[in-house]
Amino acid sequence: MKSNLVNNYRMGGYLLIAIGLINLRYQTGQSEVVAHSLTIIIPGIALLISTWIPTMHKVLNTKASQVMTAILGASLVAYAVIN
């Protein structure tokens, strides 16, 4: 059974992937754009994959995991905007 929290993690993963791909498209021509975009996309993919592994649901539902994911997600979004 999926919880709302797992769905929120999935949406966060999709968000990071989308922002990374948008970053890749709109910064075409700048140096190291692929590396910068992959810095955003890879954690998004990892987060998305972890939501499909049932044993990871217990880990993702802990308060520490929620805080770390929120901080990392916000940092990556800020990195995408600033970069």
Side-chain angles (χ1 to χ4, degrees), residues 55-68:
T55 55
M56 287 297 294
H57 290 188
K58 290 179 185 175
V59 174
L60 293 173
N61 284 328
T62 64
K63 192 66 169 175
S65 181
Q66 293 172 23
V67 170
M68 283 191 324

Side-chain angles (χ1 to χ4, degrees), residues 5-24:
L5 189 58
V6 172
N7 287 332
N8 290 343
Y9 280 121
R10 284 187 186 148
M11 291 301 114
Y14 288 130
L15 171 75
L16 290 175
I17 293 168
I19 289 174
L21 291 173
I22 291 168
N23 186 47
L24 179 64

Side-chain angles (χ1 to χ4, degrees), residues 20-39:
L21 291 173
I22 291 168
N23 186 47
L24 179 64
R25 170 61 182 103
Y26 284 103
Q27 292 191 15
T28 301
Q30 291 189 357
S31 64
E32 299 188 28
V33 67
V34 174
H36 292 207
S37 294
L38 287 177
T39 302

